[in-house]
Amino acid sequence: MITVGLYHFLVVSALLFSFGLYAVMTRRNAIGVLLGVELILNSANLNFVAFARYGIFSMDGQLFALFVIILAAAEAAIALAIVLNIFNNFRSINVDEADSLRY
Amino acid sequence: MNTIILYSLILLFLPLAAFAINILVGKRLPRKGDWVSLSAILISFSFALSMFAYMLFIRYDPDFSVEWRWLWIDLGDFVIELGILVDNLTIMMLLVVTLVSSLIHIYSISYMKDDPRYNRYFAYLSLFSFSMLIIVLSNNLFGLYIGWELVGISSYLLIGFWFEKDSASDAGKKAFITNRVGDFGFFIGVLLFFTAVGSFNYGDIIAGVDAGAMSDGLFTAAGIALFMGAVGKSAQVPLHIWLPDAMEGPTPVSALIHAATMVAAGVYMVGRIYPLFSPGALLFIAYVGAITAFVTATIAVVRKDIKRVLAYSTVSQLGFMILALGVGGYVSGLWHLTTHAFFKALLFLGAGSVIHAAHTNDMFRMGGFKKKMPVTFWTFLIATLAISGVPGFSGFFSKDAILASALEFSFAHPGHIMLFILPLIAAGLTAFYMFRALFLTFYGEPQDKEIYSHIHESPGSMTIPMVILATITILITFDQWRGFEYLPLVGEYAGWFQHLIHEPAAIFTGAAAMAESVVGHGASEETAHTIAMWLSIFVAGVGILLAYLFYLKKSLSAEKVSKSLSSIYTLLRNKYYFDEFYGATVIRGVLGLSKASAKFDDTVIDGAVNGTATITIWLSKASRWFDDHIVDGAVNGTATVTTFFGTRLRRLQTGTVENYVSFLVVGILVFFIFQAIF
Amino acid sequence: MQNHLLSALTFVPVLGMFAILFIPRDKSYVIKVVAAVTTGIQLWLAVQMYIAFDTTTSAMQFVEHYAWIPAFNIEYFMGIDGLSAPMVLLTALLSFICIFASWNIEKAVKGYFALFLLLDAGMMGVFVSIDFFLFYIFWEVVLLPMYFLIGIWGGPRREYASIKFFLYTLFGSVLILLAMLALYFYNDPHTFNMLTLMETTYDYNFQKWVFLALFIGFAIKVPIFPFHTWLPDAHVEAPTAVSVILAGVLLKMGIYGILRINFPVLPDATLWFAVPLGVLGVINIIYGALCALAQTDLKKLVAYSSISHMGFCLLGMAALTSAGMNGAVLQMFNHGTISAMLFLLVGVIYDRAHIRDVNGFGGLAVRMPIYGGMVALAFFAGLGLPGFSGFISEALTLIGGFGAEHSSSTFRWLTGLAVMGIVLNAAYFLWAYQKIFLGKLNEKWAGLSEINGRELFTIVPLAIITIILGFYPMPILGMMSETMNGIIEMVKSGAITALQ
């Protein structure tokens, strides 16, 4: 029987991170980018929880995970507000088109 | 306050008040204010006369002296006291000054009639009288110096009174500046005495020097320095040049200032502070006097202008007085000062009367005036006899006394025999040139018919002063006539002048041997007196005879003599080239120096200032260039470099979020790899 | 007793200036009247001061003493003694007279009188300040109005002259500032109070350097050879009234500064510097007179005569004798009145003829007898004739110079040379007088009008003062003698190193 150890968690987390990063880099839709960010954040959460379970950090990992979840919620709220504003200004939520700061 | 002092103060300040009134409102007063000045001086004269009477008839005391001191400046450590000293000499001089001045005032009323600046003329006369009285009354050197300068300025104003003539304004300026050169020495002398003694008062200084406040050398030097003032004021060689030119002024002025009073101030000063001259200084004084007497008498011989003759004659006679004081003939010098004041004023007034009638000064255009101007002639004759030293007249006695003193001195010091020879010749020349003037003016045929036709005797206000002066000229030495002392009542006044005025005690400071022998009395005095008298009668006679032969009988020709002695004649005509000499040296020197200073100021000093400015401007231009190109260049350079990179780097700013994220990831990866390798 | 007389003297002109600023510019007559009233009040205050002045003490009087900037120990400290009191009188008198001398100014009347009153305040402040910092501020306040008064209302080369004046004096001010700070930091606790500064004993070398810096700063103002060339230019270009103030008051500030600060504060250096000071004085006298003799511009001639006359002050001061010191301050006062007269008189003829070249006139005494008489009076006063105040002060400085107790033989020779300056003074004044007034009337000027009442009003009071002081100088000498003797005492007792 295969025991689920730290290693498995880390692989899952790495995969999640990679998907998230991929989404952030390739998505043009701002919402898609946000989803990618969420994935990255959750991969980090997974790591925190795994290290808390197997490592020497006791409860600190859980605490940080909780903190990241709250932060992610706040971040999502602000990011959605920005997206709304981008939409209002550009009539699109395509991030490529919001290029006013370009040279 | 003492009555004498009170009188002195009143007679001193009355003319000043008259001056102030006349200069301010004289023009609006009736008769243009001449009566203000005249009454002021007449009141002064009456005070002086009463003091004289007091001196002569009540006191008759050789040692009579009253002094009054007034603290003028008080600075704690330093004080200046002014004051008044009245003794017999002062009173004598007061009488001379106020009397001659009063007569001149009267004379001027007619002489200056119709002059546009009539009131100013009288104002200046009053100013002069005031200044002269300061000199006479002062009891200290500082007050003396004040009077000294003030007579100088009144003389300047009066010489240049007809300033429309350039020669007159030049003469005034020349007189003032020449006098200031003398005053330079005078002031140094004052400073030397003050620094040594700490007081300006005559008595204090004499006492201080007597107590040994000064070394012998310094004492002599200080005395000579003081005497420089007398050289300027009394027109002694080499500063005599201003007096002949001063004849540009109105003739009454010449009579008052440049004959009777101001020019005598130098002699009076030497007499006043006689003890302050060491034997060495006195010898110097004697030589200055002898040389002046001789030199100017020779110049007078060839003058054509009647006033110039009198001017040089004045200088020459002043030389006699100075000489007398120098050789120890204290009384004879001051006596001559007194007699000379009257007869020389008379001569000038006579000349003024002639000039007033003839409108020319040139004696060679006159001649035969005797008939038309009898009063002028007779008074002029009396004065001429007096100055020539004809026995019985005042000048004879006083000049004789001077020659006697000089001879006595020469007996004691045979090396200084020139001190007798020079004035003796000068005495002969005096007789000659004065009779020459008399003959040319009043005798012979009229040289210029036109002038002769309109001449006339002067009005009473001019002739009366002349008659008064003529009377005084004769009477002043009445007491010297033989047998006077046997007269009842007045007999005791024989020799009153010699009784009242006597030589003050000298200060003996070491080298006193010389002076000691001068004062030596006894047989040599008698002998000297006799010899001098006969010699002076003889030279006067020769002088008169020669003048008669040359100018009246014409048996000798002046032209021939002047031709045969042409070099001497030219020298004399040109007054020994004194003026030319000063013109070429002193005046040119000072003017050159002043031009050089101004140039130095403009080019070097101001040049340095402007140069500093130029350098500053140049520096500022350089630093502006530096600022523009280097400093600002560096600043702009930084900007340029920044722009250069900025334009290239900004291309990274694509605006595409994917790119940014890619850079981020790549960056992190690079970072990781980098860390893994090292 | 604290009263506010000195503050009033200083700040009344400032009030007047503000009053003028509120008057519309076209009401020039009102402006002039306000200026006249202001200076009149100031003169009245100065007379009150003269009446109340105690001549028996050398201490500061009418003292006003307040803290001003306590952090730096700067005080508002005013007071006058026998040295400054005559200067205060002179300043008030000349300011009042100059308002009337400026009566026919037409260009920018408002600005002119406002600046003039500011200048007045500055000058007064210099003479009443005892705090060095306050003194320095007033010293600088004087500069600026002067610059504009010459630069705007001056003659053809006014820009050159005013800039020259300004930069020259500013250069001097910098040196004064340096010296002031050096003295400030030398003392512990730091202070600008002159009276305290006098009590400290300074290092000998320090004294010399500070003396030199202060001296050059003040010498420029006097002006002392070779720092004098701004003066002829400034005088020639300045309008009459400004010339009068320049010669009458500004030049005195230099000598005043030396006597007020250099002498009592730095006694050792003073003795060390006495002979050079005397030499400079004699150079001023002779050189100024020689330069005057070479001038044909009448105003320039008078300017150089000022240089010559200020030399007497220096000689008298350097001698450190009672006669010399008192004579020097009296000479300051007298030169103030006499040179004012001279410049006013030059202004009179310039207003009429528009030239000042002495060779361009001739025989004017016939046409203008009163004017000729006034000029003669002023010239005689200038050449040191007895009966005028200048004679007494010059004689006192010479007597003082001759009697110097330190380096006495040097001073004798110097004074001997200085006496020669008197001969030269006579030469150039008489020469100029002859050229302008004597001789035949130059027909070109036959139409000149006689001096008028307003002009006489400006000159006659000065003439009267000159004559009164010429007969009896104690009204002014009596004010100063205690203080001046005190300064001599201070120098002689304070000098420790130099006497050894």
Side-chain angles (χ1 to χ4, degrees):
Chain A
M1 190 182 136
I2 300 163
T3 347
V4 178
L6 179 62
Y7 186 71
H8 302 94
F9 284 103
L10 290 184
V11 169
V12 173
S13 163
L15 282 173
L16 262 177
F17 181 82
S18 302
F19 295 148
L21 192 62
Y22 180 77
V24 170
M25 286 171 70
T26 54
R27 288 280 146 193
R28 297 216 164 140
N29 191 314
I31 304 293
V33 175
L34 267 178
L35 286 175
V37 171
E38 288 300 319
L39 283 180
I40 290 171
L41 286 172
N42 280 314
S43 75
N45 275 349
L46 200 57
N47 270 8
F48 276 127
V49 178
F51 282 118
R53 171 70 181 79
Y54 296 104
I56 51 165
F57 301 113
S58 71
M59 291 299 286
D60 290 359
Q62 271 96 328
L63 210 66
F64 268 106
L66 218 69
F67 191 67
V68 169
I69 291 167
I70 296 163
L71 200 84
E75 182 245 323
I78 292 168
L80 283 171
I82 291 172
V83 170
L84 259 175
N85 272 315
I86 288 174
F87 182 78
N88 280 341
N89 282 320
F90 297 95
R91 292 280 141 209
S92 152
I93 49 167
N94 192 341
V95 286
D96 283 358
E97 285 169 28
D99 59 352
S100 302
L101 278 176
R102 194 167 168 253
Y103 60 90
Chain B
M1 201 189 295
N2 190 307
T3 320
I4 294 280
I5 298 297
L6 190 64
Y7 278 25
S8 311
L9 283 174
I10 294 171
L11 75 81
L12 173 64
F13 283 104
L14 272 176
L16 179 67
F19 163 71
I21 293 172
N22 257 343
I23 201 85
L24 293 175
V25 293
K27 215 166 194 169
R28 277 172 236 140
L29 292 176
R31 291 186 55 84
K32 284 186 156 189
D34 57 0
W35 54 274
V36 178
S37 291
L38 180 62
S39 46
I41 195 71
L42 280 176
I43 297 170
S44 288
F45 168 63
S46 62
F47 278 107
L49 193 65
S50 62
M51 282 157 77
F52 180 72
Y54 174 76
M55 166 180 88
L56 194 60
F57 300 123
I58 297 174
R59 289 300 286 258
Y60 205 57
D61 172 9
D63 295 321
F64 168 70
S65 171
V66 187
E67 193 176 356
W68 174 71
R69 296 183 182 208
W70 176 52
L71 189 62
W72 183 48
I73 288 179
D74 176 13
L75 302 177
D77 305 358
F78 171 88
V79 295
I80 297 181
E81 284 182 335
L82 296 184
I84 285 178
L85 172 66
V86 181
D87 62 6
N88 294 336
L89 179 59
T90 315
I91 293 176
M92 200 60 232
M93 197 68 187
L94 279 181
L95 186 73
V96 171
V97 171
T98 53
L99 174 55
V100 176
S101 191
S102 304
L103 295 174
I104 299 296
H105 275 74
I106 296 169
Y107 183 91
S108 300
I109 291 173
S110 300
Y111 193 88
M112 297 303 288
K113 191 179 58 187
D114 305 330
D115 193 279
R117 291 185 292 274
Y118 188 74
N119 66 313
R120 284 205 178 190
Y121 175 82
F122 278 94
Y124 295 160
L125 277 189
S126 290
L127 177 65
F128 170 75
S129 307
F130 167 68
S131 325
M132 189 66 208
L133 290 171
I134 294 181
I135 293 183
V136 175
L137 286 168
S138 176
N139 73 340
N140 63 85
L141 288 175
F142 199 83
L144 183 65
Y145 185 75
I146 291 177
W148 210 251
E149 289 287 307
L150 286 177
V151 287
I153 206 71
S154 357
S155 158
Y156 166 81
L157 292 168
L158 284 166
I159 294 170
F161 187 72
W162 289 318
F163 56 75
E164 289 93 338
K165 271 194 301 181
D166 281 335
S167 57
S169 64
D170 279 339
K173 192 176 63 175
K174 184 174 176 182
F176 192 78
I177 293 174
T178 314
N179 266 303
R180 274 230 160 168
V181 173
D183 295 351
F184 165 71
F186 184 64
F187 196 68
I188 298 279
V190 173
L191 288 176
L192 280 170
F193 278 116
F194 178 78
T195 316
V197 180
S199 168
F200 291 108
N201 186 281
Y202 300 147
D204 293 354
I205 294 177
I206 292 170
V209 176
D210 208 13
M214 291 172 111
S215 69
D216 282 350
L218 194 62
F219 182 46
T220 304
I224 289 176
L226 274 188
F227 177 65
M228 285 303 294
V231 170
K233 201 59 77 190
S234 291
Q236 299 296 293
V237 173
L239 297 180
H240 65 284
I241 46 161
W242 65 270
L243 186 58
D245 287 18
M247 296 303 131
E248 293 293 339
T251 307
V253 168
S254 308
L256 174 63
I257 300 185
H258 306 120
T261 54
M262 184 185 86
V263 288
V267 182
Y268 175 78
M269 184 265 274
V270 176
R272 181 87 276 174
I273 51 175
Y274 200 59
L276 293 185
F277 298 98
S278 70
L282 285 177
L283 190 64
F284 178 82
I285 290 172
Y287 268 101
V288 169
I291 291 168
T292 306
F294 176 74
V295 164
T296 50
T298 55
I299 299 175
V301 168
V302 298
R303 295 296 105 195
K304 289 179 174 150
D305 179 332
I306 186 167
K307 280 185 78 181
R308 301 282 160 128
V309 173
L310 294 179
Y312 279 106
S313 157
T314 306
V315 179
S316 178
Q317 297 300 311
L318 291 165
F320 274 99
M321 302 170 206
I322 293 282
L323 164 74
L325 293 169
V327 296
Y330 181 80
V331 180
S332 51
L334 292 171
W335 198 22
H336 196 54
L337 162 60
T338 313
T339 57
H340 174 261
F342 293 114
F343 63 67
K344 185 51 67 65
L346 176 54
L347 283 172
F348 268 105
L349 293 190
S353 172
V354 169
I355 293 165
H356 195 62
H359 297 290
T360 176
N361 292 2
D362 189 349
M363 294 189 296
F364 285 87
R365 294 173 64 197
M366 298 174 183
F369 283 16
K370 184 177 154 190
K371 274 183 215 123
K372 284 201 167 184
M373 305 178 76
V375 181
T376 308
F377 166 69
W378 282 107
T379 50
F380 200 88
L381 178 65
I382 288 167
T384 307
L385 290 170
I387 193 175
S388 305
V390 173
F393 290 91
S394 59
F396 166 73
F397 296 108
S398 53
K399 196 187 288 179
D400 177 47
I402 292 175
L403 288 172
S405 309
L407 188 60
E408 208 184 315
F409 187 82
S410 307
F411 280 166
H413 310 283
H416 297 300
I417 187 72
M418 287 312 278
L419 289 180
F420 176 67
I421 304 284
L422 286 176
L424 187 67
I425 300 172
L429 288 170
T430 307
F432 175 75
Y433 66 68
M434 282 316 302
F435 271 89
R436 170 177 174 265
L438 183 79
F439 291 148
L440 283 173
T441 312
F442 292 101
Y443 285 87
E445 289 301 308
Q447 299 296 314
D448 189 325
K449 298 285 181 225
E450 186 172 340
I451 289 176
Y452 186 74
S453 65
H454 65 67
I455 60 164
H456 52 84
E457 183 56 279
S458 299
S461 74
M462 285 166 73
T463 52
I464 289 168
M466 288 156 65
V467 172
I468 295 173
L469 281 172
T471 316
I472 297 170
T473 299
I474 295 173
L475 290 187
I476 191 166
T477 48
F478 203 84
D479 62 315
Q480 298 289 317
W481 293 359
R482 280 184 191 263
F484 180 83
E485 63 265 40
Y486 304 119
L487 289 178
L489 287 173
V490 291
E492 61 176 303
Y493 290 110
W496 59 271
F497 193 91
Q498 285 75 4
H499 174 76
L500 289 173
I501 294 182
H502 66 97
E503 186 179 338
I507 302 171
F508 293 97
T509 55
M514 198 166 186
E516 185 80 65
S517 58
V518 174
V519 201
H521 293 283
S524 71
E525 195 188 359
E526 285 293 315
T527 329
H529 214 280
T530 317
I531 297 174
M533 185 176 79
W534 289 111
L535 276 176
S536 77
I537 292 176
F538 171 71
V539 293
V542 170
I544 296 170
L545 181 68
L546 281 175
Y548 173 75
L549 292 177
F550 272 113
Y551 296 101
L552 200 57
K553 193 143 183 277
K554 314 241 175 180
S555 55
L556 290 172
S557 163
E559 270 116 64
K560 272 188 194 151
V561 176
S562 65
K563 280 217 179 78
S564 61
L565 295 169
S566 69
S567 62
I568 294 178
Y569 180 74
T570 319
L571 184 67
L572 295 181
R573 277 299 309 164
N574 288 298
K575 304 164 257 174
Y576 294 94
Y577 296 101
F578 269 106
D579 282 316
E580 287 76 7
F581 175 73
Y582 289 137
T585 54
V586 180
I587 298 173
R588 256 184 74 184
V590 170
L591 289 182
L593 204 60
S594 95
K595 289 241 159 59
S597 303
K599 188 117 184 139
F600 179 76
D601 210 51
D602 274 356
T603 52
V604 180
I605 298 189
D606 214 26
V609 174
N610 287 336
T612 317
T614 318
I615 290 171
T616 314
I617 289 172
W618 186 84
L619 271 177
S620 78
K621 279 191 178 144
S623 62
R624 179 181 165 180
W625 183 89
F626 182 82
D627 208 48
D628 279 358
H629 293 88
I630 312 286
V631 179
D632 216 26
V635 175
N636 288 339
T638 316
T640 316
V641 171
T642 315
T643 318
F644 176 81
F645 286 104
T647 45
R648 279 154 187 80
L649 283 174
R650 71 176 179 180
R651 294 186 197 288
L652 292 175
Q653 201 78 13
T654 54
T656 321
V657 181
E658 295 93 323
N659 290 358
Y660 300 161
V661 177
S662 313
F663 293 148
L664 194 75
V665 172
V666 170
I668 291 170
L669 281 177
V670 168
F671 181 72
F672 279 143
I673 293 163
F674 202 75
Q675 209 187 22
I677 294 170
F678 301 101
Chain C
M1 185 190 79
Q2 293 255 55
N3 64 22
H4 299 285
L5 187 63
L6 298 182
S7 291
L9 271 170
T10 312
F11 292 105
V12 160
V14 178
L15 290 180
M17 181 188 78
F18 282 117
I20 283 176
L21 291 179
F22 287 109
I23 300 171
R25 65 173 63 249
D26 49 340
K27 295 200 169 156
S28 62
Y29 186 77
V30 182
I31 290 173
K32 287 171 189 170
V33 169
V34 169
V37 169
T38 310
T39 48
I41 293 172
Q42 193 192 27
L43 181 60
W44 180 77
L45 288 171
V47 171
Q48 296 302 309
M49 180 281 289
Y50 179 76
I51 293 168
F53 191 82
D54 180 4
T55 59
T56 58
T57 172
S58 64
M60 289 290 167
Q61 303 180 37
F62 306 102
V63 170
E64 292 177 44
H65 197 169
Y66 305 100
W68 181 23
I69 310 176
F72 298 102
N73 203 7
I74 295 170
E75 291 162 337
Y76 181 85
F77 191 4
M78 284 180 169
I80 53 172
D81 59 3
L83 171 60
S84 32
M87 297 299 113
V88 168
L89 265 183
L90 183 68
T91 308
L93 175 69
L94 290 185
S95 299
F96 180 65
I97 282 175
C98 281
I99 295 294
F100 293 94
S102 317
W103 213 255
N104 51 5
I105 289 275
E106 278 158 13
K107 179 176 169 186
V109 177
K110 186 169 165 178
Y112 179 90
F113 284 96
L115 283 170
F116 198 95
L117 291 178
L118 183 62
L119 177 70
D120 182 8
M123 295 184 303
M124 194 58 90
V126 166
F127 291 127
V128 299
S129 302
I130 302 177
D131 189 86
F132 204 158
F133 193 83
L134 195 61
F135 172 90
Y136 187 78
I137 287 177
F138 283 121
W139 181 274
E140 294 294 299
V141 163
V142 170
L143 263 188
L144 209 67
M146 203 56 173
Y147 169 74
F148 286 115
L149 286 171
I150 298 174
I152 298 176
W153 289 271
R157 288 176 75 225
R158 53 179 179 259
E159 278 97 351
Y160 172 75
S162 58
I163 290 177
K164 194 170 179 181
F165 163 79
F166 191 81
L167 289 181
Y168 228 133
T169 350
L170 200 66
F171 171 70
S173 303
V174 171
L175 291 174
I176 296 174
L177 181 67
L178 279 178
M180 175 174 94
L181 293 177
L183 288 172
Y184 176 72
F185 287 113
Y186 194 98
N187 280 279
D188 195 27
H190 303 329
T191 179
F192 286 112
N193 183 335
M194 288 183 198
L195 300 181
T196 321
L197 292 179
M198 288 172 198
E199 285 161 10
T200 316
T201 309
Y202 300 88
D203 176 60
Y204 193 25
N205 280 319
F206 176 82
Q207 285 202 25
K208 283 184 194 169
W209 285 109
V210 173
F211 191 103
L212 199 66
L214 284 174
F215 177 76
I216 292 176
F218 291 133
I220 287 171
K221 207 71 157 199
V222 173
I224 296 169
F225 176 92
F227 305 111
H228 64 275
T229 54
W230 62 269
L231 185 76
D233 282 310
H235 269 313
V236 166
E237 300 308 324
T240 301
V242 177
S243 279
V244 170
I245 290 291
L246 200 55
V249 183
L250 253 68
L251 305 194
K252 312 301 172 298
M253 284 165 50
I255 300 269
Y256 174 80
I258 296 175
L259 282 175
R260 167 65 73 225
I261 299 167
N262 286 28
F263 273 48
V265 175
L266 308 163
D268 278 317
T270 304
L271 279 181
W272 173 74
F273 214 73
V275 171
L277 203 63
V279 170
L280 286 173
V282 172
I283 291 177
N284 256 37
I285 295 172
I286 302 283
Y287 183 81
L290 282 173
C291 285
L293 195 54
Q295 302 305 324
T296 53
D297 182 330
L298 190 56
K299 227 173 172 184
K300 235 176 178 169
L301 184 145
V302 179
Y304 276 108
S305 87
S306 286
I307 295 174
S308 182
H309 283 132
M310 295 315 280
F312 286 100
C313 294
L314 285 178
L315 180 67
M317 282 153 59
L320 284 169
T321 51
S322 184
M325 284 284 243
N326 285 290
V329 180
L330 185 64
Q331 169 78 348
M332 280 158 74
F333 187 87
N334 292 340
H335 178 259
T337 51
I338 293 170
S339 68
M341 252 196 305
L342 289 170
F343 279 114
L344 288 169
L345 287 162
V346 174
V348 169
I349 191 72
Y350 184 70
D351 282 349
R352 286 167 175 64
H354 300 290
I355 63 162
R356 287 186 305 255
D357 189 339
V358 281
N359 294 316
F361 295 104
L364 290 190
V366 180
R367 188 70 197 80
M368 310 167 80
I370 301 174
Y371 178 65
M374 294 309 291
V375 174
L377 190 146
F379 276 14
F380 291 159
L383 62 82
L385 197 74
F388 297 102
S389 55
F391 163 75
I392 295 168
S393 48
E394 280 171 25
L396 282 179
T397 53
L398 292 173
I399 292 168
F402 208 77
E405 282 163 20
H406 57 95
S407 340
S408 59
S409 64
T410 318
F411 268 96
R412 287 195 172 193
W413 286 108
L414 284 175
T415 312
L417 277 171
V419 177
M420 224 140 68
I422 293 187
V423 181
L424 291 171
N425 275 346
Y428 64 76
F429 273 126
L430 293 188
W431 172 79
Y433 193 78
Q434 183 186 21
K435 285 275 177 190
I436 299 173
F437 291 97
L438 308 184
K440 283 227 160 25
L441 177 65
N442 185 342
E443 287 307 320
K444 197 172 148 195
W445 305 118
L448 286 189
S449 57
E450 181 60 287
I451 185 168
N452 65 32
R454 177 184 60 78
E455 288 157 344
L456 272 180
F457 174 74
T458 61
I459 294 161
V460 168
L462 296 172
I464 291 173
I465 290 174
T466 311
I467 291 172
I468 289 177
L469 291 181
F471 274 81
Y472 191 61
M474 286 311 283
I476 298 294
L477 271 179
M479 285 175 95
M480 65 180 69
S481 61
E482 281 298 324
T483 307
M484 300 321 292
N485 292 344
I487 290 177
I488 297 171
E489 183 56 36
M490 222 182 268
V491 171
K492 292 205 165 152
S493 64
I496 296 160
T497 324
L499 285 181
Q500 281 164 359

